[in-house]
Structures are given as C-alpha cells and as structure tokens.
Amino acid sequence: MKSFRIKLLLYFIILVLAALVIPFWHYGSTVNQEILNEAKDDALSDLEIAEWLLYNHPGFDEVKELNAWMQDLSGKMGVHITFLQAGRVVADSDIPYSVLASMGNQEAGPEILEMLEELDSGSLDMTVTAKDELVYAVKKLDQLPGLGSGVLLLVSPFSRIKQRMETLRKNMAIGLLLNVVLDPIFIFG
C-alpha cells in the first residue's frame, strides 16, 4: 500500500511540476518581451521629443551651444544624446565641448555605425535596438536650423528594466518552488 502511495505522490509531483513549469516559462518569456518592447517604445518617444525640440529651437550659432543644450536636455530626460554628421560626433551630452573639440573628428562606435548603415540601406528613417544593457534609438534629421542634416542618437540605460525582469523571474521561481513543495504536503498531509 505504501509503494502505491509513493508512486501516486511522485506521479502527482511530476504532473504538478509540468503544469507549473510550462506557464512559468511562457509567462516569463512573454513578460520579458513586453518589457523590452516598452523600453524600445520609451526610447523612441524620447528620441521624438528631442527631435521636436531640436526642430523648434531657433537655431544654434555654434556647436558649443548645441552641446550645452544637449547636456541640459540629457540631464532632464535621463538619457545620453549625441548628434552626428557624416558618421562623426559633432555634439555629445556626456562630453564637455572643450574635451570634444580637442578630440578632433571623433567617429561613432561600431554599434552606432552599424545602425547608421541600417538606416542608409533601406527606407527606414529611424531604428531602435537593445544591446549591451542599453537601448539605442537613431533617427535621421534633415535641415536642422543652423546645423544642417545629421543623425540624432539617443542611448537609454536598460539596467532599470533588467532589474525589474530579474525580480519578476525570482518571484515566479519562488512561487513555483513553493507550489511544488507545499502541494504534496497539503494533499497527502
């Protein structure tokens, strides 16, 4: 009789485990994708705000003014903003103009150049990518007042979102473990 009870308990644990693991895995991957999509949408929205502000600015007499304006905007939005022309960094919210000017023609990094190639290859005028715990949003801009054409790059940290995903995974794993351990105890008591 005990052998039958133990077999029944093991079959039940396997059934409960299968019934809990599949939704856990599916829900976790769905939520991860939704959080990533939300991060990309937020980056795109921030990019469009920065674009609108640039187009509605009366114009910059010098690149130094653009750099200072980007530093102010970046501080308020909590993102990194860069303006590029012909693949070269013209203004950057994280680099003071005096340092940027002394660096000469600073070329954009490989991930940015890859995104610029993606923009140039098709009919896209903007793209958003999540890579290396950052969300990159890039958009071509035409005829900005006092600046001409260029590319606006916005980089947003992914760490806040990643932390939310890790907390969610941990909580779901604890719930799954509690179910697997406590269900047999309550049922076979």
Side-chain angles (χ1 to χ4, degrees):
M1 189 65 161
K2 262 190 177 208
S3 173
F4 175 73
R5 215 173 161 175
I6 290 172
K7 282 183 183 179
L8 187 62
L9 175 62
L10 289 176
Y11 289 140
F12 181 74
I13 288 173
I14 291 169
L15 180 67
V16 167
L17 191 58
L20 293 174
V21 167
I22 293 170
F24 171 78
W25 173 78
H26 175 71
Y27 181 72
S29 63
T30 302
V31 169
N32 283 347
Q33 192 58 46
E34 288 298 318
I35 290 173
L36 181 61
N37 289 342
E38 182 180 332
K40 288 180 176 182
D41 289 345
D42 288 347
L44 191 58
S45 176
D46 288 345
L47 181 71
E48 289 172 344
I49 289 169
E51 174 195 13
W52 185 86
L53 289 170
L54 270 172
Y55 274 118
N56 288 292
H57 193 276
F60 300 95
D61 294 329
E62 299 177 339
V63 175
K64 183 177 182 178
E65 290 176 16
L66 171 65
N67 208 66
W69 180 86
M70 284 184 154
Q71 287 174 338
D72 289 341
L73 183 62
S74 172
K76 290 179 176 101
M77 294 176 75
V79 296
H80 176 104
I81 305 169
T82 304
F83 182 70
L84 303 115
Q85 287 180 320
R88 303 248 180 239
V89 177
V90 174
D92 191 295
S93 63
D94 287 358
I95 303 173
Y97 181 73
S98 57
V99 174
L100 190 63
S102 68
M103 291 168 61
N105 284 339
Q106 185 66 23
E107 196 168 290
E111 66 277 350
I112 307 306
L113 292 174
E114 184 180 306
M115 291 177 75
L116 293 175
E117 285 176 21
E118 184 180 322
L119 287 177
D120 290 337
S121 68
S123 59
L124 293 173
D125 68 343
M126 72 176 72
T127 183
V128 181
T129 303
K131 189 184 226 180
D132 299 328
E133 308 215 6
L134 296 169
V135 178
Y136 296 89
V138 178
K139 182 164 185 165
K140 291 180 189 177
L141 303 178
D142 295 319
Q143 302 308 319
L144 284 168
L147 296 172
S149 298
V151 174
L152 184 64
L153 165 67
L154 187 135
V155 182
S156 179
F158 192 65
S159 57
R160 295 171 297 178
I161 296 149
K162 186 176 181 188
Q163 186 179 19
R164 282 177 34 202
M165 289 191 304
E166 291 303 320
T167 301
L168 179 67
R169 273 194 203 109
K170 185 174 88 176
N171 290 342
M172 288 176 64
I174 290 170
L176 175 66
L177 182 64
L178 285 173
N179 272 322
V180 168
V181 170
L182 295 178
D183 281 351
I185 293 171
F186 288 129
I187 290 173
F188 295 106

